[in-house]
Amino acid sequence: MKDYLGYKNKTCVVTGASSGMGRETARILVDLGAAVYTISRRSCDVDGIIQSIRADLSSREDIDEAFRQIPEMIDCFFGVAGLSGNRSDYMTTFNVNYTANRYISERYLKQRIPEGGAIVFVTSTSGVAWKENYEECCKVLDAASWEEIQERMAALVKPGTPPQVAYMLSKRLMNAYACQLAVELGEKKVRVNAVLPGSTDTGMKDEFAEMAGGLENMIRFAGKAGR
């Protein structure tokens, strides 16, 4: 069969690949003949990947160590890792969902992805209203470094703010950042996409159901298709 998707022998990096969407992404890429490296809190058990790297994506040091183990040239990056905020604190949730992707893109992907490469971020329909909240996003979006993002957020987040709130803000920021990055890297013929899934039957389903006040409530707000 012709390799219509063009992943054969491409070097691909997938975050959050120990479960859910990330694991399935890694599996499909292996089936398509890609050389797959994964980064996640737990080991990825997909047969055929080149290397499973364990790292805490809320830690810049862990990210740097992970990318020291990955080839200099990366054809495709899939930023799938994410936290709901239901079982993590505010800044850990925010840093995994937004800061890590921003840092990886600025520090590594801009230098390592060649012409014809691709970047895909899995965000959420929870962040679909980023344009309507662009002024809020801009308070963080133009922060240039990991440290500056932490400083901005420390000034913006009131003590006691529920960590679940970080989920929506981080997803709005990721949608805004993906659009910004797509324009910048489009000149280099690097494709950037954001994928906005609604509620999905993965290991995090129970967390979102708990946040919604029960599974029935979650299903009612499962996405534009109502499923």
Side-chain angles (χ1 to χ4, degrees), residues 64-149:
D64 289 337
E65 176 56 33
F67 274 84
R68 279 192 279 270
Q69 302 176 55
I70 292 169
E72 280 299 311
M73 191 186 77
I74 300 168
D75 294 294
C76 303
F77 174 82
F78 297 83
V80 188
L83 297 174
S84 69
N86 204 37
R87 297 176 185 172
S88 53
D89 61 64
Y90 190 103
M91 283 310 299
T92 298
T93 303
F94 184 85
N95 286 332
V96 169
N97 292 358
Y98 173 70
T99 314
N101 283 314
R102 170 73 185 249
Y103 178 74
I104 289 169
S105 299
E106 299 292 327
R107 174 68 178 83
Y108 295 104
L109 303 184
K110 285 185 178 182
Q111 289 74 38
R112 294 195 184 187
I113 292 190
E115 180 177 311
I119 299 171
V120 180
F121 300 115
V122 173
T123 65
S124 170
T125 52
S126 294
V128 73
W130 66 270
K131 287 185 178 180
E132 294 88 334
N133 295 274
Y134 191 64
E135 185 176 341
E136 175 191 39
C137 291
C138 283
K139 294 176 182 178
V140 184
L141 194 60
D142 63 349
S145 66
W146 187 287
E147 294 88 352
E148 190 175 357
I149 291 172

Coordinates of all heavy atoms in Angstrom, one line a residue, residues 64-149:
D64 N 14.6 19.3 29.3 CA 15.9 19.4 28.7 C 16.6 18.0 28.6 O 17.3 17.7 27.6 CB 16.8 20.4 29.5 CG 16.3 21.8 29.3 OD1 15.6 22.1 28.3 OD2 16.6 22.7 30.2
E65 N 16.5 17.3 29.7 CA 17.2 16.0 29.7 C 16.5 15.0 28.7 O 17.2 14.3 28.0 CB 17.0 15.3 31.1 CG 17.6 13.9 31.3 CD 19.0 13.8 30.8 OE1 19.8 14.8 31.0 OE2 19.4 12.7 30.3
A66 N 15.2 15.1 28.5 CA 14.5 14.3 27.5 C 15.0 14.6 26.1 O 15.3 13.7 25.3 CB 13.0 14.5 27.6
F67 N 15.2 15.9 25.8 CA 15.6 16.2 24.5 C 17.0 16.0 24.2 O 17.5 16.0 23.0 CB 15.1 17.7 24.2 CG 13.7 17.8 23.6 CD1 12.7 17.8 24.5 CD2 13.5 17.8 22.3 CE1 11.4 17.8 24.1 CE2 12.2 17.8 21.8 CZ 11.1 17.8 22.7
R68 N 17.8 15.8 25.2 CA 19.2 15.4 25.0 C 19.3 13.9 24.5 O 20.3 13.5 23.9 CB 20.0 15.5 26.3 CG 20.5 16.9 26.6 CD 21.5 16.9 27.7 NE 20.9 16.9 29.0 CZ 20.5 18.0 29.7 NH1 20.7 19.2 29.2 NH2 20.0 17.8 30.9
Q69 N 18.2 13.2 24.7 CA 18.1 11.8 24.3 C 17.5 11.6 22.9 O 17.3 10.4 22.5 CB 17.4 10.9 25.3 CG 18.1 11.0 26.7 CD 17.3 10.3 27.8 OE1 17.0 9.1 27.6 NE2 16.9 11.0 28.8
I70 N 17.0 12.7 22.3 CA 16.3 12.6 21.0 C 17.2 13.1 19.9 O 17.9 14.1 20.1 CB 15.0 13.4 21.2 CG1 14.0 12.7 22.2 CG2 14.3 13.6 19.9 CD1 12.9 13.6 22.6
P71 N 17.1 12.6 18.7 CA 17.9 13.0 17.6 C 17.8 14.5 17.3 O 16.7 15.2 17.6 CB 17.3 12.2 16.4 CG 16.8 11.0 17.0 CD 16.2 11.4 18.3
E72 N 18.8 15.1 16.8 CA 18.8 16.5 16.5 C 17.8 16.9 15.5 O 17.2 18.0 15.6 CB 20.2 16.9 15.9 CG 21.3 17.1 17.0 CD 20.9 18.2 18.0 OE1 20.5 19.3 17.5 OE2 21.0 18.0 19.2
M73 N 17.5 16.1 14.5 CA 16.4 16.4 13.6 C 15.1 15.7 14.0 O 15.1 14.4 14.1 CB 16.8 16.0 12.2 CG 15.8 16.6 11.1 SD 16.1 16.0 9.4 CE 15.4 14.3 9.5
I74 N 14.0 16.4 14.1 CA 12.7 15.9 14.5 C 11.8 16.3 13.3 O 11.6 17.4 13.0 CB 12.2 16.5 15.8 CG1 13.2 16.1 16.9 CG2 10.8 16.0 16.1 CD1 12.9 16.9 18.2
D75 N 11.2 15.3 12.7 CA 10.3 15.5 11.6 C 8.9 16.0 12.0 O 8.3 16.9 11.4 CB 10.2 14.3 10.7 CG 11.4 13.9 9.9 OD1 11.9 14.7 9.1 OD2 12.0 12.9 10.3
C76 N 8.4 15.4 13.1 CA 7.1 15.7 13.5 C 7.0 15.6 15.1 O 7.6 14.7 15.7 CB 6.1 14.7 13.0 SG 6.0 14.6 11.2
F77 N 6.3 16.5 15.6 CA 6.1 16.6 17.1 C 4.6 16.6 17.4 O 3.8 17.3 16.8 CB 6.7 17.8 17.7 CG 6.5 18.0 19.2 CD1 7.2 17.3 20.1 CD2 5.5 18.9 19.6 CE1 7.0 17.5 21.5 CE2 5.2 19.0 21.0 CZ 6.0 18.3 21.9
F78 N 4.2 15.7 18.3 CA 2.8 15.6 18.8 C 2.8 15.9 20.3 O 3.2 15.1 21.1 CB 2.3 14.2 18.5 CG 2.3 13.8 17.0 CD1 3.4 13.3 16.4 CD2 1.1 14.0 16.3 CE1 3.4 13.0 15.1 CE2 1.1 13.7 14.9 CZ 2.2 13.2 14.3
G79 N 2.3 17.1 20.6 CA 2.1 17.5 22.0 C 0.8 17.1 22.5 O -0.2 17.8 22.4
V80 N 0.7 15.9 23.1 CA -0.5 15.3 23.6 C -0.7 15.3 25.1 O -1.8 15.4 25.6 CB -0.7 13.8 23.1 CG1 -2.1 13.3 23.3 CG2 -0.3 13.7 21.6
A81 N 0.4 15.4 25.8 CA 0.3 15.3 27.3 C -0.6 16.4 27.8 O -0.6 17.6 27.3 CB 1.7 15.5 27.9
G82 N -1.3 16.1 28.9 CA -2.2 17.1 29.5 C -2.7 16.6 30.8 O -2.8 15.4 31.1
L83 N -3.1 17.6 31.7 CA -3.7 17.3 33.0 C -5.0 18.0 33.1 O -5.2 19.2 32.6 CB -2.7 17.7 34.1 CG -1.4 17.1 34.2 CD1 -0.6 17.7 35.3 CD2 -1.6 15.6 34.5
S84 N -6.0 17.4 33.8 CA -7.3 18.0 33.9 C -7.3 19.1 35.0 O -8.2 20.0 35.0 CB -8.3 17.0 34.2 OG -8.1 16.4 35.5
G85 N -6.4 19.0 36.0 CA -6.4 19.8 37.1 C -7.2 19.2 38.3 O -7.2 19.8 39.4
N86 N -7.8 18.1 38.1 CA -8.6 17.4 39.1 C -7.7 16.7 40.2 O -8.1 16.6 41.3 CB -9.6 16.4 38.5 CG -10.7 16.2 39.4 OD1 -11.2 17.1 40.1 ND2 -11.2 15.0 39.5
R87 N -6.5 16.4 39.7 CA -5.6 15.6 40.7 C -4.2 16.2 40.7 O -3.2 15.6 41.0 CB -5.6 14.2 40.3 CG -6.9 13.5 40.4 CD -6.9 12.1 39.9 NE -8.3 11.5 39.9 CZ -8.6 10.3 39.4 NH1 -7.7 9.6 38.8 NH2 -9.8 9.9 39.5
S88 N -4.1 17.5 40.3 CA -2.8 18.2 40.4 C -3.1 19.7 40.7 O -4.2 20.2 40.6 CB -2.1 18.1 39.0 OG -3.0 18.6 37.9
D89 N -2.0 20.3 41.2 CA -2.2 21.7 41.6 C -2.2 22.7 40.4 O -2.0 22.2 39.2 CB -1.1 22.2 42.5 CG 0.3 22.1 41.9 OD1 0.6 22.8 40.9 OD2 1.1 21.3 42.4
Y90 N -2.6 23.9 40.6 CA -2.8 24.9 39.5 C -1.6 25.0 38.6 O -1.8 24.8 37.4 CB -3.1 26.2 40.1 CG -3.6 27.2 39.0 CD1 -5.0 27.5 39.0 CD2 -2.8 27.8 38.1 CE1 -5.5 28.4 38.0 CE2 -3.2 28.7 37.2 CZ -4.6 29.0 37.1 OH -5.0 29.8 36.1
M91 N -0.4 25.3 39.1 CA 0.7 25.5 38.2 C 1.2 24.3 37.6 O 1.8 24.3 36.4 CB 1.8 26.2 39.0 CG 1.6 27.7 39.2 SD 1.1 28.6 37.7 CE 2.5 28.4 36.6
T92 N 1.2 23.1 38.2 CA 1.5 21.9 37.6 C 0.7 21.6 36.3 O 1.1 21.3 35.3 CB 1.5 20.7 38.5 OG1 2.4 20.9 39.6 CG2 1.8 19.4 37.8
T93 N -0.6 21.8 36.5 CA -1.6 21.7 35.4 C -1.3 22.6 34.3 O -1.2 22.2 33.1 CB -3.0 21.9 35.9 OG1 -3.3 21.0 37.0 CG2 -4.1 21.7 34.8
F94 N -1.1 23.9 34.6 CA -0.8 24.9 33.6 C 0.5 24.7 32.9 O 0.6 24.8 31.7 CB -0.8 26.3 34.3 CG -0.6 27.4 33.3 CD1 -1.7 28.0 32.7 CD2 0.6 27.9 33.1 CE1 -1.6 29.0 31.8 CE2 0.8 29.0 32.1 CZ -0.3 29.5 31.5
N95 N 1.5 24.3 33.6 CA 2.8 24.1 33.0 C 2.9 22.9 32.1 O 3.5 22.9 31.0 CB 3.9 23.9 34.1 CG 4.3 25.3 34.7 OD1 4.1 26.3 34.1 ND2 4.7 25.2 36.0
V96 N 2.2 21.8 32.5 CA 2.1 20.6 31.6 C 1.3 20.9 30.3 O 1.8 20.6 29.2 CB 1.5 19.4 32.3 CG1 1.2 18.3 31.3 CG2 2.5 18.9 33.4
N97 N 0.2 21.6 30.5 CA -0.7 21.9 29.4 C -0.2 23.0 28.4 O -0.4 22.9 27.2 CB -2.1 22.3 29.9 CG -2.8 21.1 30.5 OD1 -2.3 20.0 30.6 ND2 -4.0 21.4 31.1
Y98 N 0.4 24.0 29.0 CA 0.9 25.1 28.2 C 2.4 25.4 28.2 O 3.0 25.3 27.1 CB 0.1 26.4 28.6 CG 0.7 27.7 27.9 CD1 0.4 27.8 26.5 CD2 1.5 28.6 28.5 CE1 0.9 28.9 25.8 CE2 2.0 29.7 27.8 CZ 1.7 29.9 26.5 OH 2.2 30.9 25.8
T99 N 2.9 25.6 29.3 CA 4.3 26.1 29.4 C 5.3 25.1 28.7 O 6.2 25.5 28.0 CB 4.8 26.3 30.9 OG1 3.8 27.1 31.5 CG2 6.1 27.1 30.9
A100 N 5.1 23.8 29.0 CA 5.9 22.8 28.4 C 5.9 22.8 26.9 O 6.9 22.8 26.2 CB 5.5 21.4 28.9
N101 N 4.7 22.9 26.3 CA 4.6 23.0 24.8 C 5.2 24.2 24.3 O 5.9 24.2 23.2 CB 3.1 22.9 24.4 CG 2.5 21.5 24.5 OD1 3.1 20.5 24.1 ND2 1.4 21.4 25.1
R102 N 5.0 25.3 24.9 CA 5.6 26.6 24.5 C 7.1 26.5 24.6 O 7.9 26.9 23.6 CB 5.1 27.7 25.4 CG 5.8 29.1 25.3 CD 5.4 29.8 24.0 NE 6.2 31.0 23.8 CZ 5.7 32.2 23.8 NH1 4.4 32.4 24.1 NH2 6.5 33.3 23.6
Y103 N 7.7 26.0 25.7 CA 9.1 25.9 25.9 C 9.7 25.0 24.9 O 10.7 25.3 24.2 CB 9.4 25.4 27.3 CG 10.9 25.2 27.6 CD1 11.7 26.3 27.8 CD2 11.4 24.0 27.7 CE1 13.1 26.2 28.0 CE2 12.8 23.8 27.9 CZ 13.6 24.9 28.1 OH 14.9 24.7 28.3
I104 N 9.1 23.8 24.7 CA 9.6 22.8 23.7 C 9.7 23.4 22.3 O 10.7 23.2 21.6 CB 8.8 21.5 23.7 CG1 9.0 20.8 25.0 CG2 9.1 20.6 22.5 CD1 8.0 19.6 25.3
S105 N 8.6 24.1 21.9 CA 8.6 24.7 20.6 C 9.7 25.8 20.4 O 10.4 25.8 19.4 CB 7.2 25.4 20.4 OG 6.2 24.4 20.5
E106 N 9.8 26.7 21.4 CA 10.7 27.8 21.2 C 12.2 27.3 21.4 O 13.1 27.7 20.6 CB 10.4 28.8 22.3 CG 9.1 29.5 22.2 CD 8.9 30.3 20.9 OE1 9.9 31.0 20.5 OE2 7.8 30.4 20.4
R107 N 12.4 26.4 22.3 CA 13.8 26.0 22.6 C 14.3 24.9 21.7 O 15.5 24.9 21.3 CB 13.8 25.5 24.1 CG 15.2 24.8 24.5 CD 16.3 25.9 24.6 NE 17.5 25.3 25.1 CZ 18.4 24.6 24.3 NH1 18.1 24.5 23.0 NH2 19.5 24.1 24.8
Y108 N 13.4 24.0 21.2 CA 13.9 22.9 20.4 C 13.3 22.8 19.0 O 14.0 22.6 18.1 CB 13.6 21.6 21.2 CG 14.4 21.5 22.5 CD1 13.8 21.7 23.7 CD2 15.7 21.2 22.5 CE1 14.5 21.6 24.9 CE2 16.5 21.1 23.6 CZ 15.9 21.3 24.9 OH 16.6 21.3 26.0
L109 N 12.0 22.8 18.9 CA 11.3 22.5 17.6 C 11.7 23.5 16.6 O 11.9 23.1 15.4 CB 9.8 22.4 17.8 CG 9.3 21.4 18.8 CD1 7.8 21.4 18.8 CD2 9.9 20.0 18.5
K110 N 11.8 24.8 16.9 CA 12.1 25.8 15.9 C 13.5 25.5 15.2 O 13.7 25.8 14.1 CB 12.1 27.2 16.5 CG 10.7 27.7 16.7 CD 10.7 29.2 17.2 CE 9.4 29.8 17.4 NZ 9.4 31.2 17.8
Q111 N 14.4 24.9 16.0 CA 15.7 24.7 15.5 C 15.8 23.3 14.9 O 16.6 23.1 14.0 CB 16.7 24.7 16.7 CG 17.0 26.1 17.2 CD 15.9 26.7 18.1 OE1 15.2 25.9 18.8 NE2 15.6 28.0 17.9
R112 N 15.0 22.3 15.3 CA 15.2 20.9 14.9 C 14.3 20.4 13.8 O 14.6 19.4 13.2 CB 15.0 20.0 16.1 CG 16.1 20.2 17.2 CD 16.1 19.1 18.2 NE 17.1 19.2 19.2 CZ 17.3 18.3 20.1 NH1 16.7 17.1 20.1 NH2 18.2 18.5 21.1
I113 N 13.1 21.1 13.6 CA 12.2 20.6 12.6 C 12.5 21.2 11.3 O 12.5 22.4 11.1 CB 10.7 20.9 13.0 CG1 10.3 20.1 14.2 CG2 9.8 20.6 11.8 CD1 8.9 20.1 14.6
P114 N 12.8 20.4 10.2 CA 13.2 20.9 8.9 C 11.9 21.3 8.1 O 10.8 21.1 8.5 CB 13.8 19.6 8.3 CG 13.1 18.5 8.9 CD 12.7 18.9 10.3
E115 N 12.2 21.8 6.9 CA 11.2 22.2 6.0 C 10.3 20.9 5.7 O 10.9 19.8 5.5 CB 11.8 22.7 4.7 CG 10.8 23.1 3.6 CD 11.4 23.7 2.4 OE1 12.3 24.6 2.6 OE2 11.1 23.3 1.3
G116 N 9.0 21.1 5.7 CA 8.1 19.9 5.4 C 7.7 19.2 6.7 O 6.9 18.3 6.6
G117 N 8.2 19.6 7.8 CA 7.9 19.0 9.1 C 6.6 19.4 9.6 O 5.9 20.3 9.0
A118 N 6.2 18.9 10.8 CA 4.8 19.2 11.3 C 4.8 19.2 12.9 O 5.6 18.5 13.5 CB 3.8 18.2 10.8
I119 N 4.0 20.1 13.4 CA 3.8 20.2 14.8 C 2.3 20.1 15.1 O 1.5 20.8 14.4 CB 4.3 21.5 15.4 CG1 5.8 21.6 15.2 CG2 4.0 21.6 16.9 CD1 6.4 23.0 15.6
V120 N 1.9 19.2 16.0 CA 0.4 19.0 16.3 C 0.3 19.1 17.8 O 0.9 18.4 18.6 CB -0.1 17.7 15.8 CG1 -1.6 17.6 16.2 CG2 0.1 17.5 14.3
F121 N -0.6 20.0 18.3 CA -0.9 20.1 19.7 C -2.4 19.6 19.9 O -3.3 20.0 19.2 CB -0.9 21.6 20.2 CG 0.5 22.2 20.0 CD1 0.6 23.3 19.1 CD2 1.6 21.8 20.7 CE1 1.9 23.9 19.0 CE2 2.8 22.4 20.6 CZ 3.0 23.4 19.7
V122 N -2.5 18.7 20.9 CA -3.9 18.3 21.3 C -4.3 19.3 22.4 O -3.8 19.3 23.5 CB -3.9 16.9 21.8 CG1 -5.3 16.6 22.3 CG2 -3.6 15.9 20.6
T123 N -5.3 20.2 22.0 CA -5.8 21.1 23.0 C -7.1 20.6 23.5 O -7.2 19.6 24.0 CB -5.8 22.5 22.4 OG1 -6.8 22.6 21.4 CG2 -4.4 22.9 21.9
S124 N -8.2 21.4 23.4 CA -9.5 21.0 23.8 C -10.6 22.0 23.4 O -10.3 23.2 23.2 CB -9.5 21.0 25.4 OG -10.8 20.8 25.9
T125 N -11.8 21.5 23.2 CA -12.9 22.4 23.0 C -13.1 23.3 24.1 O -13.8 24.4 24.0 CB -14.2 21.6 22.7 OG1 -14.4 20.7 23.7 CG2 -14.1 20.9 21.4
S126 N -12.6 23.0 25.3 CA -12.7 23.9 26.4 C -11.9 25.3 26.2 O -12.2 26.3 26.8 CB -12.1 23.3 27.7 OG -12.9 22.2 28.1
G127 N -11.0 25.2 25.2 CA -10.3 26.4 24.9 C -10.7 27.1 23.6 O -10.0 27.9 23.0
V128 N -11.9 26.7 23.1 CA -12.3 27.2 21.8 C -12.6 28.7 21.8 O -12.5 29.4 20.7 CB -13.6 26.4 21.3 CG1 -14.8 26.9 22.1 CG2 -13.8 26.6 19.8
A129 N -12.9 29.3 23.0 CA -13.2 30.7 23.0 C -12.0 31.6 23.2 O -12.1 32.6 23.9 CB -14.2 31.0 24.1
W130 N -10.8 31.2 22.7 CA -9.6 32.0 22.9 C -9.7 33.4 22.3 O -9.1 34.3 22.9 CB -8.4 31.2 22.5 CG -8.3 31.0 21.0 CD1 -8.8 30.0 20.3 CD2 -7.7 31.9 20.0 NE1 -8.5 30.1 18.9 CE2 -7.8 31.3 18.7 CE3 -7.0 33.1 20.1 CZ2 -7.4 31.9 17.6 CZ3 -6.5 33.7 18.9 CH2 -6.7 33.1 17.7
K131 N -10.3 33.5 21.2 CA -10.4 34.8 20.6 C -11.2 35.8 21.4 O -10.8 37.0 21.6 CB -11.1 34.7 19.2 CG -10.2 34.1 18.1 CD -10.9 34.2 16.7 CE -10.0 33.6 15.7 NZ -10.7 33.6 14.3
E132 N -12.3 35.3 22.0 CA -13.1 36.2 22.8 C -12.4 36.5 24.1 O -12.8 37.5 24.8 CB -14.4 35.5 23.2 CG -15.4 35.2 22.0 CD -15.1 33.9 21.3 OE1 -14.0 33.4 21.3 OE2 -16.0 33.4 20.7
N133 N -11.4 35.8 24.5 CA -10.6 36.0 25.7 C -9.2 36.3 25.4 O -8.3 36.0 26.2 CB -10.7 34.8 26.6 CG -12.1 34.5 27.1 OD1 -12.5 35.0 28.1 ND2 -12.8 33.6 26.4
Y134 N -9.0 36.9 24.2 CA -7.6 37.1 23.7 C -6.8 38.1 24.7 O -5.6 38.0 24.9 CB -7.6 37.7 22.3 CG -6.2 37.7 21.7 CD1 -5.5 36.5 21.5 CD2 -5.6 38.9 21.3 CE1 -4.3 36.5 20.9 CE2 -4.4 38.9 20.7 CZ -3.7 37.7 20.5 OH -2.4 37.8 20.0
E135 N -7.6 39.1 25.2 CA -6.9 40.1 26.1 C -6.4 39.3 27.3 O -5.2 39.6 27.8 CB -7.9 41.1 26.5 CG -7.3 42.2 27.4 CD -8.3 43.3 27.7 OE1 -9.3 43.4 27.0 OE2 -8.0 44.1 28.6
E136 N -7.1 38.4 27.8 CA -6.6 37.6 29.0 C -5.4 36.8 28.6 O -4.4 36.7 29.3 CB -7.8 36.7 29.4 CG -7.4 35.7 30.6 CD -8.4 34.6 30.8 OE1 -9.0 34.1 29.9 OE2 -8.6 34.3 32.0
C137 N -5.5 36.2 27.4 CA -4.4 35.3 26.9 C -3.1 36.1 26.7 O -2.0 35.7 27.0 CB -4.8 34.7 25.5 SG -6.0 33.4 25.6
C138 N -3.3 37.4 26.3 CA -2.1 38.2 26.0 C -1.3 38.5 27.3 O -0.1 38.9 27.2 CB -2.5 39.5 25.3 SG -2.9 39.3 23.6
K139 N -1.9 38.4 28.4 CA -1.2 38.7 29.7 C -0.1 37.6 29.9 O 0.8 37.9 30.7 CB -2.2 38.6 30.8 CG -3.2 39.8 30.8 CD -4.2 39.6 31.9 CE -5.3 40.7 31.9 NZ -6.3 40.6 33.0
V140 N -0.2 36.5 29.2 CA 0.8 35.4 29.3 C 1.5 35.1 28.0 O 2.6 34.7 27.9 CB 0.2 34.2 29.9 CG1 1.2 33.1 30.2 CG2 -0.6 34.5 31.2
L141 N 0.7 35.3 26.9 CA 1.1 34.8 25.6 C 2.5 35.4 25.1 O 3.3 34.7 24.5 CB 0.1 35.1 24.6 CG 0.2 34.4 23.2 CD1 0.1 32.9 23.4 CD2 -1.0 34.9 22.3
D142 N 2.8 36.6 25.5 CA 4.0 37.2 25.0 C 5.2 37.1 26.0 O 6.2 37.6 25.8 CB 3.8 38.7 24.7 CG 3.4 39.5 25.9 OD1 3.1 38.9 27.0 OD2 3.4 40.8 25.9
A143 N 4.9 36.3 27.1 CA 6.1 36.0 28.0 C 7.1 35.1 27.2 O 6.7 34.1 26.7 CB 5.5 35.2 29.2
A144 N 8.3 35.5 27.3 CA 9.3 34.9 26.4 C 10.0 33.7 26.9 O 10.6 32.9 26.2 CB 10.4 36.0 26.0
S145 N 10.0 33.5 28.2 CA 10.8 32.4 28.8 C 10.0 31.7 29.9 O 8.9 32.1 30.3 CB 12.1 33.0 29.5 OG 11.7 33.8 30.6
W146 N 10.5 30.5 30.3 CA 9.9 29.7 31.3 C 9.7 30.6 32.6 O 8.6 30.6 33.2 CB 10.7 28.5 31.6 CG 10.1 27.5 32.5 CD1 9.9 27.6 33.9 CD2 9.5 26.2 32.2 NE1 9.3 26.5 34.4 CE2 9.0 25.7 33.4 CE3 9.3 25.5 31.0 CZ2 8.4 24.4 33.4 CZ3 8.7 24.3 31.1 CH2 8.2 23.7 32.3
E147 N 10.8 31.3 33.0 CA 10.7 32.0 34.2 C 9.7 33.2 34.1 O 9.0 33.4 35.1 CB 12.1 32.7 34.5 CG 13.2 31.7 34.8 CD 13.9 31.1 33.6 OE1 13.5 31.4 32.5 OE2 14.9 30.4 33.8
E148 N 9.6 33.8 33.0 CA 8.7 34.9 32.8 C 7.3 34.4 32.9 O 6.4 35.1 33.4 CB 9.0 35.7 31.5 CG 8.2 37.0 31.4 CD 8.5 37.8 30.2 OE1 9.4 37.3 29.4 OE2 7.9 38.8 30.0
I149 N 7.0 33.3 32.3 CA 5.6 32.7 32.4 C 5.3 32.5 33.9 O 4.2 32.8 34.3 CB 5.5 31.4 31.6 CG1 5.6 31.7 30.1 CG2 4.2 30.7 31.9 CD1 5.7 30.5 29.2

